Structures are given as structure tokens and as C-alpha cells.
Amino acid sequence: MTTDRSVTVNGDPVPLPDDPRVSLLDLLREYAGLPGTKKGCDQGACGACTVLVDGRTGGDRERILSCLTLAVQYEGRSVTTVEGLADGDLHPLQEAFIDHDGFQCGYCTPGQLCSAVGMAAEARRGVPSHVTADVTRSEVELTTAEIRERMSGNLCRCGAHHGIVAAIATTYAGAGR
Amino acid sequence: MSTPTTGPDVLGAPVPRRDGRVKVTGTARFAAEVPMPGLLYAAFVHSTVAKGRITGLDVAAAENSPGVALVMTHRNAPPMAAPPAFALHPMGASGDNLPVMRDDRVRWNGQAVAVVLADTQERADRAAELVTPSYAAEPAVTTWSAAKARGTARASNYGMPLTTVSGDADAALSAAAVSVDHTYTTPRESQNAMEPHAATVVWDGDTLVVHDCTQLVSQVAVSLAEVFGLRPDQVRVSAPFVGGGFGGKGLWSYLILAAAAARMTRRPVRAALSREGVYRLVGGRTLTEQRVAIGARADGRFDAIIHTGLMAMTEHNAVPEAVTSATGALYAAGSFRLEVDRALMDTVANFYMRAPGEAPGSFALESAIDELAHELGIDPVELRLRNEPETEPVTGRPFSSRHAVEAYRAGAERFGWSARSAVPRARREGEWWVGAGTAAATYPYVRFPGGAARLVLQPGGRVGVEAAAHEMGMGTATVLAQITAERFAVPLTAVSVSYGDSTLPGVIMAAGSQQTASLAAAVAAAHRELVGGLLAAGAAAGTGSPLAGCTADTVATRDGGLCRLDDPDAWEPYDALLARAGLTELRAEQAAPPPAEMGAWSIHSYGAVFAEVRVNDVTGEVRVPRIVGSFDCGRILNARTAAGQFRGGIIMGLGMALMEETQVDGRTGRIMNPSLSEYHLPVHADVGDIDVIWTGIPDPRTPLGAHGIGEIGIVGVAAAVANGVYNAVGVRVRDLPITLDKLL
Ligand code: FES
Ligand code: FES
């Protein structure tokens, strides 16, 4: 059922299944025993499946939708999921989500977390958004409007938006990382 | 942080969620994530006609497809009894009472006609594509106009016809000095919890073990037992984490089919619906058409309120949209006529969604109040205050605790309502017209019979609390720990909580905003039992206990122990009492007393919503940058999670106001937008500042003084936004959602 090729997930190799239809999301949830990454639509519309992958830009990890990604596309590359987000006990953003009540049911939460980490890196690199006033600056300041705009691909039906945005703002806004 | 974790202040404090760590680290296991060896994955084949018979069902290609273990259709499915339907049967959990896969009949477009099990999801999905059903379609009612033409009838809620008449409202309306009389419509909506419905099911001999995402563990267990001819104790339903419910997570056919297929293959089965599958198999809020007519005197006092509704249902369910239920509770009026009728359509059975009845009903009522305020030239806040009732209108029952006026005033103050222009289309900033709207909200207090809890007093002053309650993000586990810590006067860290499992005590639906009241009453009853038992065993006369001779009525809890009510210094810690009794732990299980408070008093949650609305002059786009919600919901037991419930409801109301609609193709009866890209929900960029405040005044008649808070947040929001749109641009939209085409 599996091959001798693999994807590195949170530092560990995960063998690729021999079925090329398996999405990266299903690889994580059904094959790697890492169901922390959630499936809200399987169609690229909700952001629940967001994970971080090794970047081509300055070493930053980039956010992708794992449901729209075939696992085989990431052969030999590194993926970070919510389970691997923290260096130590909790990532500062995870702590901030608890402090600011950035979730209710928790189903969108892993996607929000990974998305925010990738989003903050994008802002640091100066990637503009629809609401960026000055697109020439090398780093975009993460105002509330920027965070709301850039996180809009991550739906939350419970309506925990305020806590999510507050947690992201305290973790990243003005902090330079 | 200075959050109290013990003592009398633990209730009400903004205590962080107990399940925070597992949710932010991705270690909380949802229903589709329970590991099982030898698992089979399910894929569903959905009918493509709304009504008729299955004439052909070629499954050979699917059966021969790689990895396939079973293709189940009505031809080989095991016999199953029809599931007991919610509101038709005391323990019914099912959205409808149709037998599942019993015959060749198709009753809605999207019904499951085959289930494929395979060793991977990919293989199951592929094989499902190879099943080729053919149908003899029959004429079906799939448009609203056809449904109305077929005939309407009075709707019932739990067997009670939805009719309330007091005085002669029609005569009073024609005689009124000023009146409004308009029709409002609201569309079908889908709950769209972020977690699509899913279950992992395994048979252990004749015992069915179900890991599901339900908000009704006990009813689902009983209902499944009925379907499969088992004793209730042969079904165990576990749902410790539920990824949002909002009414949608009762019992639906996917779970029955998964259990049947697991029985046939004798292997565990995972049935995780696709997002489209949720739309096909699970019912949402139904559409409504409502008339609101109000007759008033020149000073604004109401002489007549007529509120009638018509909504779509199916022949197979009993869940109406009781759109008039708030109307009889909010305002004084000389006369009322409130009626709800239903017309039948051939669709998936409609079901509850957050604040069923009140959410669509308040859109009509509170829009009409705004229209009347405009006719009268009276400020809409003032008009509502002038019609504040002394006792519950129609019934005359006394209010247990009603501070709606205080909530309205506080909200208006916080919002800065006095700065609003009474004249529409008065304020413009660049391309944007700016307005403000308001609406009142109410939601009834409910406490269903059946609540129970088990308490376990353990060494070291530790307490376990166990109840078949649900945590879908409301903060149930956290508030249950707070309630228990307060009762025992022990630190929060000394309390462990078990919930989300049908083997635990009680029937505690996460519905009707009633779970917390049910739990509070049950914990109080079990606590009394436990304290009585502890005193009898550990503080009998002659034991030397300072509490000797005390009963549950003559002691209080303090600092991890009990003390005499009349002499708090006569105190003994729990450990000492357990030791005297020769016990290592003591358990007590009790049912909550019957909800007598509901009969004697009119008990409601109240709210006032204020919205700043901006309408783009060029595109008609509507933005809502600021909302204030001001609530009167009794005592607030956790300020943090309560704020989350209020805001979450308001945001769902924003979606209802501006974008949400489940669209049914009238030609085929098929839902046309079964995805999160075509059914729009509010995203971060749509959600502006939302300020929530509350009176916090405890209700002396309810457990812990609390009212429900899970649903009131959505009520009134759509009207507040619509009224704000009118104030911004002078266009009255009576048809939700308020999309930009209606403003151009
Ligand atoms: S599951 Fe990938 S975007 Fe929804
Ligand atoms: S916390 Fe439930 S969907 Fe976001």
C-alpha cells in the first residue's frame, strides 16, 4: 500500500501511498495518524486544512491548502502541521489563541493557526494584500484590517473571529515576527 | 491573570476553556478521527430525482472495483425500523421518520440510494461513481409556488398548533390611527458547521459503538437502538468533541447506513460526509413567508399585532419554523393574531438551525416595528420602550426577571444611537452611505426534563462530575467545572469533567439554549444527595465531628469542606469526613427536578442589537463595520465563553442578513449551491467590531439565575442590518439575504 518514497512531516518521514490520488490532507489524516489538520470542505473553500510547507522564499514556511494538494507533489519536501507547530510546549500563537479565546468548537483552529503563521511571514516579506495602502514597503504592518483580509480564506462558523484576530495581532503585529 | 479559580467568584469569571490545549495542538479527536484497525471507508451515491422509484441499480462495476468490500442498496441492506423523529417521539433524534434504504422509493433529490465501503476513501469514492442508478421519476413539488398551490395547513410545534389569538386584531388593525402591513421572506439556510457530519462505527458483537458528531448523544443512542431492534444499553454513542452543530447535528441517515454497513461487513466503518454530502443528507433551516401588520395609536402604543407565517416542510418531519414565538413575548398590544402554517415540499427534511423560529421571525417583526416607527415619526428605540409590557402579553403570566429596557438603554448608549439621523440617506462618506439600525431580540428559557448528573467526591478534595452533555464550542465543559467547583467550594483544578457520552447520566440536549440550566439543576440535586450521604456516614452523632447531627439543609460548603450554616467555624474538610465514614470516595447521581419554573413564569432572554451599516453608492455592496449587542440573560456564568456565544450568534446573523441562502433548483428539487464556495458565510473581512454587554442580573427562579445564551445572539441581527440599510439609503429590503442587486 505504501512506496519507498516519502514526505517529511514535522521532521519525520511519512511514506507515500501507492495511490496517486491521495491528497496531502488525507495522507496526514488517514495514513500518517495526524488528524490535527482538519477537512472542512475538501474543495479549497474553507482553509481548515491549511498546513505549512518548506518555502522557496527566504526559508519561510508557506501556507497551502492540503486538500488541493496531492501528496506525491510533496515527495522529499517538508510539511509542518498543527501537531508540529510548537518548538517547545506551545507555539506563542497557540498560547495567544487560548488567552484570547480564539476558538469555540476548535475545528477551524489548526487551519487558522497554520494560516496565521504563513500569513505573518508573507507580511514580513512585504507581500501586499487588497487592503495594503503602500505596496512599495518591504514589510507590511499587520493592522486589524490586514489580518482580517489575509485570514479570510479561513472560515470559522462558530464566529470566533475576534479572538482569532486578537490572538494573531498580539503575537505578530509590530513584533517584527 | 486574576481570574478566580475558587470561591464564590468562580461563577461568572472569564475562566479559560478546559479544552483549549487539545484544540490548539490538534490533539482533540473528532468523530472521523478515531483510529480503528481494519477500517472501511464509506462513500454515498445520491439520488438525482426528487421523487419516484429506483428502476435500475447496476452495482457490478462498483463491486468489482479495487478495494471494495460492500455495495449496499435497498436490495441487500439489513431490515431496519424507521428512526423515531425529533419532536414526534420523546427520545427521537432523527430529522425525519422515513425508513432508511428499505425500498426502492426516492423521496428527495439527494437521498442516499447506495453506500460503498472500501479500504480507502479514494477507492470508495471511485467505486461510488461507478454505481449507475436509473429512476422512474414521479411528479414532485419542488417549487414554493407549487407547494402553496397544493394547500397549506396549520403547523404544530411538539403537537401544539401554532395559533395564538387575543382580542380582535383584524378589527383593531383597520381602526388603528397608524398601521403597517407588509410581507417578509427568508430563505432556506444551512447550519454549515465547519466539521462535516462524520461517524466512526463498530459493532462489538451485538453492541453498537458509535463515535459521532452529535449534539444529542442520549437520543441518538435510543433512536439507533430502535432502528436496529436493540436494547438502549446495546448502543453507546460517544461525541466528546463536536466541530460545531447549530442544530444540524441530530441523527441523519448517514449514521444509520454506516451502522448497517458495518454490521454487514463485520468491520468498523468511517462515514465522513463530503461537504456536498452534508447538503444532500442533512436538513437546514426552511424558507418562510411572513406577514406582519401592526396597528398603533398616534403615541405609538400598539393596538394590534398580526404576525402570520407560512413555511415549507416535508411530509416526514415535525420541525416547524415557529416564526411567531418571539412576537407574543416582546411587546404589549391590545390584540394579537399569531399563526403559522406549513406547505409541503419534496425535499430533504428541514431541521433546526440556531434560534429556529425566532431568527427568521424577528427579521419580519423587527423590520415592521422599524417601518412603523418611520410612519409614526417616533425613534425606533423609543417606540419599543413605549410598548414594554408589564406581564407577558397574551398569557398575562408574570415575568420572572425582565430587564429588557435596561439592556436597550445600555446598548443605545454604548452604540451612540443618539447620533443617528432619523431621516434616511442623510450621511455620506465618499462612495458610502452610512446608516444605523436596531432591533430587539428575545429567546425563551427552556429546561427540558431529563437532566441528571453524577458527582464523585474523591480523596484530596477532588470532585468528578459526569453528565451526558455536549461540548460543541459553547464552553460546556468549562462552565460545568465552574458550577461544580462553586458548589463544593473547591478549586477549579480539583474538578474533572466527563461529558459527550450516552453512557453518562441524563438526557441533556444541546438544543434550545437549555444545556447549562439543565446541568446546573442536576448538579445542585446530585450535590445535595452527596452532602446528605457524606454527613450521614461521616458526621453521625458521637463521631466527634464538628458537623455531628447536621443535614444537607444545615451546612454550607467552604474551603474544600463543609461547615455549619449557623457557625461557619464549625468546619471539616471533605477528606476528614470521608475518613470518618471509612470511604475512599463517595458517589451520588440525581436527576434535576422537573422544570416547574417554566409553567409559573414567563422566562426569556432579551437583547437589543445595533448595527452601523454602510452601503456603497456605486456597487450596492453592504458593509457592517460595527455592531453592539446588549443582553439581559440572567446571570452570566462565564464572561469569556458567554461573549463568544453572543458574538458567534451575531456573526451568524450577519450571514443571514447579507449572504446566506441554500438554493433549490425548482425544476429538479436539487440544492444548487452545496459547497462553501457557493454558499457564503461571513469571513474575517466581513466581521467588524462587535461589542457585547449584558445586565448580568440573576433570575431568582432559574438554576443559578441563568438564562440561555446560545441562540439569542442571532435573533434580531438581520432586522437591525435591514433597518440600518433603510436608514443609510432609504431602501426597504423585506427579502433576505440583502444582496447588492436589491439595492441598485
Ligand atoms: S478542507 Fe481544504 S480548504 Fe476546506
Ligand atoms: S471554532 Fe468552530 S469553526 Fe472556528
Side-chain angles (χ1 to χ4, degrees):
Chain A
M1 291 284 285
T2 58
T3 65
D4 53 9
R5 292 166 299 149
S6 66
V7 181
T8 303
V9 181
N10 302 330
D12 298 324
V14 171
L16 280 164
D18 61 4
D19 188 335
R21 296 172 296 191
V22 176
S23 69
L24 180 57
L25 175 57
D26 284 334
L27 178 81
L28 297 169
R29 287 174 64 81
E30 305 296 343
Y31 294 79
L34 293 169
T37 307
K38 301 305 180 203
K39 184 186 282 189
C41 70
D42 218 15
Q43 295 176 314
C46 76
C49 64
T50 308
V51 296
L52 296 161
V53 296
D54 54 2
R56 288 147 299 185
T57 326
D60 279 340
R61 292 178 295 181
E62 293 176 0
R63 52 178 175 168
I64 62 161
L65 298 175
S66 62
C67 73
L68 291 189
T69 306
L70 292 172
V72 292
Q73 289 175 267
Y74 277 81
E75 184 193 347
R77 294 177 65 183
S78 294
V79 176
T80 306
T81 70
V82 68
E83 290 99 337
L85 212 49
D87 270 342
D89 186 28
L90 287 179
H91 186 283
L93 187 62
Q94 290 172 317
E95 275 174 30
F97 263 60
I98 294 174
D99 289 347
H100 291 273
D101 212 36
F103 54 89
Q104 292 184 23
C105 76
Y107 201 78
C108 73
T109 314
Q112 304 275 1
L113 287 162
C114 289
S115 185
V117 171
M119 183 275 302
E122 289 159 21
R124 223 161 38 229
R125 291 200 304 276
V127 178
S129 82
H130 175 65
V131 300
T132 307
D134 180 357
V135 298
T136 64
R137 296 192 37 180
S138 62
E139 181 168 341
V140 177
E141 189 195 342
L142 281 180
T143 61
T144 299
E146 283 282 2
I147 295 170
R148 284 178 176 157
E149 173 67 23
R150 290 165 184 267
M151 291 298 295
S152 282
N154 289 88
L155 304 183
C156 174
R157 185 54 155 171
C158 293
H161 302 82
H162 292 83
I164 295 167
V165 172
I168 296 170
T170 45
T171 308
Y172 292 111
R177 60 155 290 117
Chain B
M1 192 178 282
S2 61
T3 303
T5 57
T6 187
D9 296 337
V10 71
L11 273 185
V15 174
R17 291 171 192 274
R18 299 217 128 198
D19 50 11
R21 173 172 284 266
V22 293
K23 284 179 176 173
V24 300
T25 53
T27 46
R29 284 288 163 271
F30 290 83
E33 300 165 358
V34 179
M36 293 242 175
L39 193 62
L40 292 171
Y41 293 81
F44 295 85
V45 180
H46 302 279
S47 75
T48 51
V49 299
K51 196 172 181 181
R53 289 183 181 279
I54 301 165
T55 50
L57 201 47
D58 187 353
V59 298
E63 282 174 341
N64 293 324
S65 191
V68 169
L70 174 72
V71 180
M72 186 173 82
T73 70
H74 67 276
R75 293 188 190 133
N76 59 349
M80 292 174 269
F86 194 92
L88 282 179
H89 180 287
M91 288 297 278
S94 178
D96 61 47
N97 60 5
L98 288 170
V100 177
M101 220 169 253
R102 183 192 284 170
D103 55 28
D104 60 357
R105 293 220 58 91
V106 173
R107 287 164 167 112
W108 77 88
N109 194 322
Q111 177 186 323
V113 295
V115 183
V116 178
L117 297 186
D119 57 355
T120 70
Q121 189 70 54
E122 291 76 16
R123 288 171 150 184
D125 289 345
R126 173 61 189 141
E129 290 170 359
L130 299 173
V131 176
T132 50
S134 50
Y135 306 95
E138 295 167 11
V141 175
T142 51
T143 64
W144 183 222
S145 52
K148 288 189 285 186
R150 176 156 74 170
T152 63
R154 188 58 31 94
S156 293
N157 208 10
Y158 293 100
M160 299 273 286
L162 289 167
T163 309
T164 303
V165 174
S166 154
D168 187 344
D170 293 273
L173 179 71
S174 3
V178 182
S179 63
V180 291
D181 189 345
H182 295 289
T183 299
Y184 304 84
T185 57
T186 64
R188 291 180 189 272
E189 294 168 358
S190 297
Q191 299 90 354
N192 271 318
M194 289 310 300
E195 176 201 28
H197 294 61
T200 306
V201 174
V202 63
W203 288 86
D204 177 7
D206 277 337
T207 299
L208 174 59
V209 180
V210 172
H211 301 272
D212 189 29
C213 60
T214 183
Q215 55 194 96
L216 309 167
V217 281
S218 307
Q219 284 99 325
V220 168
V222 172
S223 297
L224 285 175
E226 189 121 339
V227 169
F228 290 100
L230 304 169
R231 295 187 316 272
D233 66 348
Q234 287 175 288
V235 183
R236 177 181 166 196
V237 177
S238 165
F241 297 101
V242 179
F246 317 114
K249 294 208 168 141
L251 171 61
W252 296 92
S253 57
Y254 74 91
L255 178 55
I256 294 168
L257 291 167
R263 191 170 223 186
M264 284 182 76
T265 52
R266 298 172 192 277
R267 285 175 67 178
V269 167
R270 176 163 301 159
L273 293 186
S274 66
R275 180 58 61 180
E276 178 180 350
V278 176
Y279 280 83
R280 300 278 173 249
L281 297 183
V282 177
R285 197 198 295 285
T286 193
L287 61 90
T288 77
E289 189 175 294
Q290 302 172 54
R291 173 190 175 208
V292 179
I294 308 173
R297 302 176 194 181
D299 66 1
R301 280 185 296 149
F302 302 158
D303 281 332
I305 297 181
I306 297 173
H307 187 174
T308 60
L310 179 61
M311 39 103 212
M313 289 177 65
T314 72
E315 272 179 68
H316 328 290
N317 72 323
V319 173
E321 205 66 29
V323 290
T324 57
S325 63
T327 312
L330 266 176
Y331 301 111
S335 58
F336 287 90
R337 182 160 65 82
L338 314 176
E339 294 163 348
V340 183
D341 290 342
R342 56 108 182 104
L344 300 177
M345 290 179 71
D346 294 311
T347 63
V348 63
N350 66 292
F351 206 67
Y352 290 140
M353 177 166 156
R354 204 172 203 163
E358 282 78 9
S362 72
F363 168 66
L365 175 68
E366 293 296 305
S367 293
I369 302 265
D370 197 73
E371 301 204 43
L372 181 67
H374 193 74
E375 293 292 321
L376 287 160
I378 297 175
D379 179 273
V381 173
E382 175 59 27
L383 179 61
R384 290 179 171 91
L385 301 185
R386 277 186 202 175
N387 288 285
E388 173 70 9
E390 301 269 302
T391 56
E392 187 177 72
V394 185
T395 68
R397 280 191 307 178
F399 292 122
S400 61
S401 171
R402 174 168 170 137
H403 306 281
V405 170
E406 285 94 317
Y408 227 111
R409 292 220 164 96
E413 168 90 25
R414 177 68 70 109
F415 183 79
W417 180 254
S418 57
R420 162 190 173 270
S421 159
V423 184
R425 224 175 167 84
R427 190 170 149 208
R428 186 166 170 163
E429 292 177 9
E431 277 179 12
W432 296 87
W433 293 100
V434 185
T438 185
T442 186
Y443 192 83
Y445 168 92
V446 192
R447 183 163 71 81
F448 294 111
R454 185 185 302 131
L455 295 170
V456 189
L457 180 63
Q458 296 154 332
R462 303 194 57 81
V463 181
V465 55
E466 303 170 359
H470 309 80
E471 174 61 276
M472 308 187 291
M474 307 88 84
T476 312
T478 311
V479 84
L480 185 52
Q482 288 174 273
I483 291 169
T484 307
E486 194 255 6
R487 275 278 157 199
F488 280 88
V490 297
L492 270 177
T493 48
V495 178
S496 60
V497 179
S498 304
Y499 55 93
D501 195 299
S502 63
T503 58
L504 297 173
V507 179
I508 308 167
M509 285 192 274
S513 297
Q514 69 99 36
Q515 197 167 241
T516 301
S518 177
L519 289 169
V523 168
H527 179 256
R528 194 184 148 77
E529 179 82 6
L530 189 141
V531 166
L534 186 62
L535 289 167
T543 54
S545 167
L547 303 174
C550 285
T551 68
D553 290 324
T554 58
V555 294
T557 57
R558 174 169 78 75
D559 299 323
L562 299 177
C563 65
R564 283 180 182 274
L565 261 183
D566 56 6
D567 176 11
D569 288 339
W571 171 86
E572 208 166 29
Y574 295 122
D575 268 354
L577 288 159
L578 281 176
R580 281 183 202 285
L583 295 169
T584 49
E585 65 168 42
L586 183 60
R587 294 167 174 263
E589 181 179 330
Q590 264 301 311
E597 69 273 20
M598 284 168 61
W601 302 90
S602 169
I603 314 180
H604 289 77
S605 291
Y606 300 98
V609 196
F610 298 84
E612 178 183 321
V613 176
R614 294 176 169 244
V615 181
N616 190 289
D617 187 60
V618 182
T619 64
E621 181 186 1
V622 180
R623 307 289 299 166
V624 182
R626 196 163 67 86
I627 294 178
V628 171
S630 178
F631 299 96
D632 174 48
C633 302
R635 183 178 184 184
I636 296 299
L637 301 181
N638 183 322
R640 172 191 295 242
T641 52
Q645 285 296 291
F646 290 137
R647 284 208 181 92
I650 288 171
I651 293 165
M652 204 174 277
L654 191 62
M656 178 181 184
L658 297 180
M659 59 193 88
E660 294 191 33
E661 177 169 13
T662 309
Q663 295 164 331
V664 174
D665 186 335
R667 298 164 303 178
T668 60
R670 195 163 180 85
I671 292 173
M672 296 189 286
N673 58 340
S675 75
L676 294 176
S677 38
E678 292 161 296
Y679 183 107
H680 294 169
L681 309 179
V683 303
H684 282 289
D686 297 315
V687 178
D689 296 341
I690 299 179
D691 206 358
V692 292
I693 56 178
W694 50 80
T695 63
I697 302 169
D699 185 330
R701 333 278 173 202
T702 62
L704 294 179
H707 291 179
I709 58 169
E711 288 166 276
I712 180 121
I714 190 175
V715 182
V717 177
V721 171
N723 297 340
V725 165
Y726 179 76
N727 185 246
V729 291
V731 178
R732 182 63 66 180
V733 180
R734 301 191 183 94
D735 173 31
L736 291 181
I738 307 168
T739 45
L740 43 80
D741 51 297
K742 295 171 186 170
L743 297 171
L744 288 176

